[in-house]
Amino acid sequence: MFSSSAFRLALIQLQVSSIKSDNLTRACGLVRKAAAQGAKIVSLPECFNSPYGTNYFPEYAEKIPGESTQKLSEVAKECSIYLIGGSIPEEDSGKLYNTCAVFGPDGTLLVKHRKLHLFDIDVPGKITFQESKTLSPGDSFSTFETPYCRVGLGICYDIRFAELAQVYAQRGCQLLVYPGAFNLTTGPAHWELLQRGRAVDNQVYVATASPARDDKASYVAWGHSTIVNPWGEVLAQAGTEETIVCSDIDLKKVSEIRQQIPIFSQKRSDLYAVEAKKP
């Protein structure tokens, strides 16, 4: 496996409709476009094949492997890229999950991340949402290897839990990718802040892929897919429309910053620790 310290990352901010086949066709078209722009790792947004909402999850849910992941596998292989399949509603043994499937350049399924933290929130007068009405939580960490670096995965609400990112950093991840769909309440308040926080805390690159905004949808996504470097700088950010966000990722930046501010060797492990309870 060749190793390189730099590569191009692309995020696809897809306009999601209620027609699954259209979503899949457009997603694959944009993946091809991103690959043609030199992207080696491409991510789709959370819930890219279905509208986002507890009433939609059962209707749109699929097995993995299934129709949607088959398409992702094919386009990853055709373009010879690492494809982070945003997320889809997954059905398995009578349960539903919010799941991200990742495919390698030969079309193999590398890892399947089931959203660990279900989005059950209530901000009075603003937004109430309960994923746990229909979804079950995943229970495993998800990382995968590329020739460039190890990548850690979370989905949307997972980004609020700093410990998950810390475990990924402990496991050698230099890029964390969170397909996510924050809303018009939490988006302006916390979307960029959380990404920059996770990036600075762990001295890693952080990327978030959101659906494009659809003001007519029952759940309106914030958009603003973003790529942040380990210094906490925003390298690239989308607006609200359907688009591809690209940035070159230079992993030398990770080691430079870790040398300049050596937080990993300076942690007081005699006083505290974040530990993984599962492999």
mmCIF file of all heavy atoms in Angstrom, residues 11 22 26-28 30 33 58 70 78 84 87 125 127 134 192-193 202 211 221 241 255 260:
data_model
loop_
_atom_site.group_PDB
_atom_site.id
_atom_site.type_symbol
_atom_site.label_atom_id
_atom_site.label_comp_id
_atom_site.label_asym_id
_atom_site.label_seq_id
_atom_site.Cartn_x
_atom_site.Cartn_y
_atom_site.Cartn_z
ATOM 1 N N LEU A 11 -17.006 16.415 -0.077
ATOM 2 C CA LEU A 11 -18.285 16.194 0.604
ATOM 3 C C LEU A 11 -19.397 16.552 -0.374
ATOM 4 O O LEU A 11 -19.333 17.581 -1.047
ATOM 5 C CB LEU A 11 -18.401 17.092 1.841
ATOM 6 C CG LEU A 11 -17.208 17.088 2.797
ATOM 7 C CD1 LEU A 11 -17.415 18.115 3.910
ATOM 8 C CD2 LEU A 11 -16.993 15.696 3.384
ATOM 9 N N ASP A 22 -34.271 8.564 -7.571
ATOM 10 C CA ASP A 22 -33.672 9.848 -7.983
ATOM 11 C C ASP A 22 -32.497 10.215 -7.085
ATOM 12 O O ASP A 22 -31.458 10.684 -7.556
ATOM 13 C CB ASP A 22 -34.706 10.988 -7.874
ATOM 14 C CG ASP A 22 -35.663 10.997 -9.048
ATOM 15 O OD1 ASP A 22 -35.573 10.066 -9.872
ATOM 16 O OD2 ASP A 22 -36.495 11.920 -9.127
ATOM 17 N N ARG A 26 -28.711 10.761 -8.506
ATOM 18 C CA ARG A 26 -28.028 12.049 -8.376
ATOM 19 C C ARG A 26 -26.801 11.941 -7.472
ATOM 20 O O ARG A 26 -25.771 12.541 -7.740
ATOM 21 C CB ARG A 26 -28.991 13.124 -7.871
ATOM 22 C CG ARG A 26 -30.044 13.505 -8.927
ATOM 23 C CD ARG A 26 -30.347 14.980 -9.008
ATOM 24 N NE ARG A 26 -30.304 15.615 -7.710
ATOM 25 C CZ ARG A 26 -31.181 15.374 -6.732
ATOM 26 N NH1 ARG A 26 -32.173 14.531 -6.944
ATOM 27 N NH2 ARG A 26 -31.065 15.966 -5.588
ATOM 28 N N ALA A 27 -26.930 11.151 -6.414
ATOM 29 C CA ALA A 27 -25.788 10.960 -5.509
ATOM 30 C C ALA A 27 -24.617 10.354 -6.281
ATOM 31 O O ALA A 27 -23.485 10.848 -6.200
ATOM 32 C CB ALA A 27 -26.175 10.056 -4.341
ATOM 33 N N CYS A 28 -24.882 9.313 -7.056
ATOM 34 C CA CYS A 28 -23.804 8.650 -7.808
ATOM 35 C C CYS A 28 -23.206 9.589 -8.854
ATOM 36 O O CYS A 28 -21.990 9.595 -9.071
ATOM 37 C CB CYS A 28 -24.306 7.365 -8.451
ATOM 38 S SG CYS A 28 -24.645 6.080 -7.221
ATOM 39 N N LEU A 30 -22.962 12.846 -8.614
ATOM 40 C CA LEU A 30 -22.106 13.821 -7.921
ATOM 41 C C LEU A 30 -20.821 13.163 -7.407
ATOM 42 O O LEU A 30 -19.760 13.802 -7.366
ATOM 43 C CB LEU A 30 -22.880 14.470 -6.771
ATOM 44 C CG LEU A 30 -23.947 15.481 -7.239
ATOM 45 C CD1 LEU A 30 -24.933 15.790 -6.129
ATOM 46 C CD2 LEU A 30 -23.304 16.769 -7.739
ATOM 47 N N LYS A 33 -18.526 13.140 -10.275
ATOM 48 C CA LYS A 33 -18.020 14.497 -10.505
ATOM 49 C C LYS A 33 -16.892 14.814 -9.511
ATOM 50 O O LYS A 33 -15.861 15.378 -9.867
ATOM 51 C CB LYS A 33 -19.172 15.484 -10.320
ATOM 52 C CG LYS A 33 -19.000 16.785 -11.067
ATOM 53 C CD LYS A 33 -20.193 17.699 -10.769
ATOM 54 C CE LYS A 33 -20.875 18.143 -12.042
ATOM 55 N NZ LYS A 33 -21.982 19.084 -11.768
ATOM 56 N N PRO A 58 -39.072 3.780 8.486
ATOM 57 C CA PRO A 58 -39.543 2.411 8.211
ATOM 58 C C PRO A 58 -39.840 2.181 6.729
ATOM 59 O O PRO A 58 -39.555 1.116 6.187
ATOM 60 C CB PRO A 58 -40.831 2.301 9.039
ATOM 61 C CG PRO A 58 -40.774 3.394 10.052
ATOM 62 C CD PRO A 58 -39.967 4.493 9.431
ATOM 63 N N GLN A 70 -25.575 -1.304 -2.888
ATOM 64 C CA GLN A 70 -25.062 -1.915 -4.120
ATOM 65 C C GLN A 70 -24.604 -0.821 -5.085
ATOM 66 O O GLN A 70 -23.520 -0.878 -5.671
ATOM 67 C CB GLN A 70 -26.161 -2.779 -4.760
ATOM 68 C CG GLN A 70 -25.748 -3.471 -6.047
ATOM 69 C CD GLN A 70 -24.514 -4.353 -5.893
ATOM 70 O OE1 GLN A 70 -24.314 -4.981 -4.850
ATOM 71 N NE2 GLN A 70 -23.657 -4.387 -6.912
ATOM 72 N N GLU A 78 -16.044 1.934 -9.664
ATOM 73 C CA GLU A 78 -15.911 2.606 -10.968
ATOM 74 C C GLU A 78 -14.940 3.788 -10.871
ATOM 75 O O GLU A 78 -14.115 4.002 -11.746
ATOM 76 C CB GLU A 78 -17.298 3.095 -11.404
ATOM 77 C CG GLU A 78 -17.313 3.908 -12.678
ATOM 78 C CD GLU A 78 -18.621 4.681 -12.853
ATOM 79 O OE1 GLU A 78 -19.684 4.179 -12.420
ATOM 80 O OE2 GLU A 78 -18.569 5.789 -13.406
ATOM 81 N N ILE A 84 -17.690 7.165 1.556
ATOM 82 C CA ILE A 84 -18.406 7.126 2.838
ATOM 83 C C ILE A 84 -19.868 7.399 2.504
ATOM 84 O O ILE A 84 -20.220 8.506 2.095
ATOM 85 C CB ILE A 84 -17.828 8.190 3.797
ATOM 86 C CG1 ILE A 84 -16.347 7.873 4.074
ATOM 87 C CG2 ILE A 84 -18.638 8.257 5.080
ATOM 88 C CD1 ILE A 84 -15.580 9.019 4.727
ATOM 89 N N SER A 87 -25.560 8.254 5.263
ATOM 90 C CA SER A 87 -26.259 7.215 6.010
ATOM 91 C C SER A 87 -27.582 6.909 5.337
ATOM 92 O O SER A 87 -28.089 7.712 4.543
ATOM 93 C CB SER A 87 -26.484 7.598 7.478
ATOM 94 O OG SER A 87 -27.592 8.462 7.622
ATOM 95 N N GLY A 125 -40.547 25.327 21.829
ATOM 96 C CA GLY A 125 -40.867 26.367 20.862
ATOM 97 C C GLY A 125 -40.018 26.323 19.606
ATOM 98 O O GLY A 125 -40.257 27.069 18.671
ATOM 99 N N ILE A 127 -37.692 22.996 18.401
ATOM 100 C CA ILE A 127 -37.668 21.690 17.737
ATOM 101 C C ILE A 127 -37.753 20.558 18.756
ATOM 102 O O ILE A 127 -37.143 20.621 19.827
ATOM 103 C CB ILE A 127 -36.402 21.512 16.863
ATOM 104 C CG1 ILE A 127 -36.451 20.156 16.146
ATOM 105 C CG2 ILE A 127 -35.118 21.653 17.667
ATOM 106 C CD1 ILE A 127 -35.572 20.014 14.950
ATOM 107 N N THR A 134 -38.300 5.194 16.431
ATOM 108 C CA THR A 134 -38.230 4.158 15.393
ATOM 109 C C THR A 134 -36.865 3.487 15.288
ATOM 110 O O THR A 134 -36.771 2.364 14.803
ATOM 111 C CB THR A 134 -38.553 4.754 13.994
ATOM 112 O OG1 THR A 134 -37.772 5.931 13.821
ATOM 113 C CG2 THR A 134 -40.020 5.103 13.845
ATOM 114 N N GLU A 192 -20.740 24.422 13.353
ATOM 115 C CA GLU A 192 -19.326 24.706 13.103
ATOM 116 C C GLU A 192 -18.510 24.638 14.393
ATOM 117 O O GLU A 192 -17.381 24.143 14.423
ATOM 118 C CB GLU A 192 -19.177 26.084 12.459
ATOM 119 C CG GLU A 192 -17.756 26.378 12.015
ATOM 120 C CD GLU A 192 -17.610 27.780 11.433
ATOM 121 O OE1 GLU A 192 -18.329 28.126 10.481
ATOM 122 O OE2 GLU A 192 -16.753 28.526 11.949
ATOM 123 N N LEU A 193 -19.094 25.121 15.483
ATOM 124 C CA LEU A 193 -18.429 25.115 16.790
ATOM 125 C C LEU A 193 -18.007 23.703 17.203
ATOM 126 O O LEU A 193 -16.871 23.474 17.636
ATOM 127 C CB LEU A 193 -19.378 25.700 17.841
ATOM 128 C CG LEU A 193 -18.922 25.666 19.294
ATOM 129 C CD1 LEU A 193 -17.747 26.602 19.511
ATOM 130 C CD2 LEU A 193 -20.079 26.045 20.222
ATOM 131 N N ASN A 202 -8.582 17.155 19.496
ATOM 132 C CA ASN A 202 -7.923 15.898 19.135
ATOM 133 C C ASN A 202 -6.835 16.065 18.090
ATOM 134 O O ASN A 202 -6.212 15.098 17.696
ATOM 135 C CB ASN A 202 -8.986 14.905 18.632
ATOM 136 C CG ASN A 202 -10.029 14.636 19.693
ATOM 137 O OD1 ASN A 202 -9.742 13.983 20.695
ATOM 138 N ND2 ASN A 202 -11.231 15.172 19.504
ATOM 139 N N PRO A 211 -27.145 17.187 4.107
ATOM 140 C CA PRO A 211 -27.998 17.361 2.928
ATOM 141 C C PRO A 211 -28.130 18.856 2.621
ATOM 142 O O PRO A 211 -27.931 19.689 3.516
ATOM 143 C CB PRO A 211 -29.355 16.797 3.363
ATOM 144 C CG PRO A 211 -29.112 16.055 4.642
ATOM 145 C CD PRO A 211 -27.889 16.642 5.255
ATOM 146 N N ALA A 221 -32.822 20.799 6.930
ATOM 147 C CA ALA A 221 -31.398 20.660 7.273
ATOM 148 C C ALA A 221 -30.691 22.008 7.154
ATOM 149 O O ALA A 221 -31.033 22.841 6.311
ATOM 150 C CB ALA A 221 -30.733 19.639 6.357
ATOM 151 N N GLU A 241 -27.188 25.208 -0.712
ATOM 152 C CA GLU A 241 -27.652 24.552 -1.938
ATOM 153 C C GLU A 241 -26.898 23.249 -2.213
ATOM 154 O O GLU A 241 -25.891 22.949 -1.575
ATOM 155 C CB GLU A 241 -27.494 25.507 -3.121
ATOM 156 C CG GLU A 241 -26.054 25.841 -3.507
ATOM 157 C CD GLU A 241 -25.216 26.526 -2.413
ATOM 158 O OE1 GLU A 241 -25.786 27.310 -1.620
ATOM 159 O OE2 GLU A 241 -23.999 26.250 -2.341
ATOM 160 N N SER A 255 0.938 16.173 12.215
ATOM 161 C CA SER A 255 2.149 15.955 13.018
ATOM 162 C C SER A 255 2.795 17.268 13.433
ATOM 163 O O SER A 255 3.310 17.386 14.548
ATOM 164 C CB SER A 255 3.132 15.025 12.300
ATOM 165 O OG SER A 255 3.157 15.293 10.935
ATOM 166 N N GLN A 260 3.989 21.016 17.914
ATOM 167 C CA GLN A 260 3.960 22.380 18.459
ATOM 168 C C GLN A 260 3.211 22.447 19.795
ATOM 169 O O GLN A 260 3.629 23.147 20.714
ATOM 170 C CB GLN A 260 3.293 23.329 17.448
ATOM 171 C CG GLN A 260 4.121 23.531 16.179
ATOM 172 C CD GLN A 260 3.267 24.093 15.034
ATOM 173 O OE1 GLN A 260 2.117 24.480 15.220
ATOM 174 N NE2 GLN A 260 3.845 24.130 13.839
#
